[in-house]
Amino acid sequence: MNAFSFLVSTVFDLYLMVVILRIWLQLARADFYNPFSQFIVKATHPIVGPLRRVIPSFGNFDTASFVLAITVVVAKFVLLSLMAGAAIDITTILLVSLVSVLKEAGVLLFWMLILRAILSWVSQGHNPIEMVMGQLTEPLLAPIRRMLPQMGGLDLSLLVMMIILNFVNILLAQYIPFWANV
């Protein structure tokens, strides 16, 4: 991978994470008045706003943001293919884009869990970013926490969730041929 491919991939992947966070914030009904949430909304609204006029939401699921996420990945793969001089097969790119959005959501969850664990050691709990991370990850951690026995104040639900995420990642890499390369 040359330097320009790295730069293109990084810029598109960072924006994809922002779009995925917008979808996730709405699904989790997180506090949209939080400064971090406001950043996510302001970074995506110029594109999501007009899309919402055309593409309706289904319940809590923001369809317009999901279409934007797929579009970001398609644009990334098309641009990388053009830079490499490779042929562009739109069907393959659409399929890989869907898988890429799902995998990036898992990667984002994994890093958010790691950040939440680190912040639990050093933070006092009044950080706006930490509050949003709690709102986003708590619906996933609460069922695990209920199943685990009490460990004297030690919360192992983060560790269990990270093990589950790695297991799913390895499992999908075995059955979806291009999962590991996305």
Side-chain angles (χ1 to χ4, degrees), residues 21-145:
L21 277 171
R22 180 172 179 133
I23 297 167
W24 196 0
L25 285 168
Q26 190 166 348
L27 283 173
R29 297 180 185 208
D31 179 17
F32 269 85
Y33 295 105
N34 184 299
F36 182 70
S37 300
Q38 285 295 307
F39 164 74
I40 299 296
V41 169
K42 288 178 183 175
T44 56
H45 187 70
I47 302 171
V48 172
L51 278 177
R52 279 199 175 146
R53 291 186 209 124
V54 180
I55 303 170
S57 294
F58 292 111
N60 283 346
F61 187 71
D62 188 4
T63 314
S65 294
F66 184 72
V67 168
L68 175 59
I70 297 292
T71 305
V72 167
V73 179
V74 166
K76 171 187 152 184
F77 284 128
V78 166
L79 188 57
L80 288 174
S81 296
L82 289 174
M83 288 172 60
I88 298 173
D89 179 18
I90 196 66
T91 307
T92 305
I93 287 180
L94 285 172
L95 185 61
V96 170
S97 298
L98 181 63
V99 170
S100 184
V101 168
L102 294 174
K103 185 171 181 179
E104 193 69 34
V107 168
L108 182 62
L109 174 59
F110 182 81
W111 285 109
M112 196 170 288
L113 292 171
I114 288 179
L115 281 173
R116 188 168 175 202
I118 292 170
L119 285 174
S120 73
W121 299 334
V122 296
S123 177
Q124 302 298 321
H126 302 294
N127 186 338
I129 293 174
E130 188 175 358
M131 291 171 59
V132 169
M133 278 195 274
Q135 290 173 337
L136 293 176
T137 58
E138 196 58 35
L140 301 169
L141 297 174
I144 296 171
R145 203 172 284 127

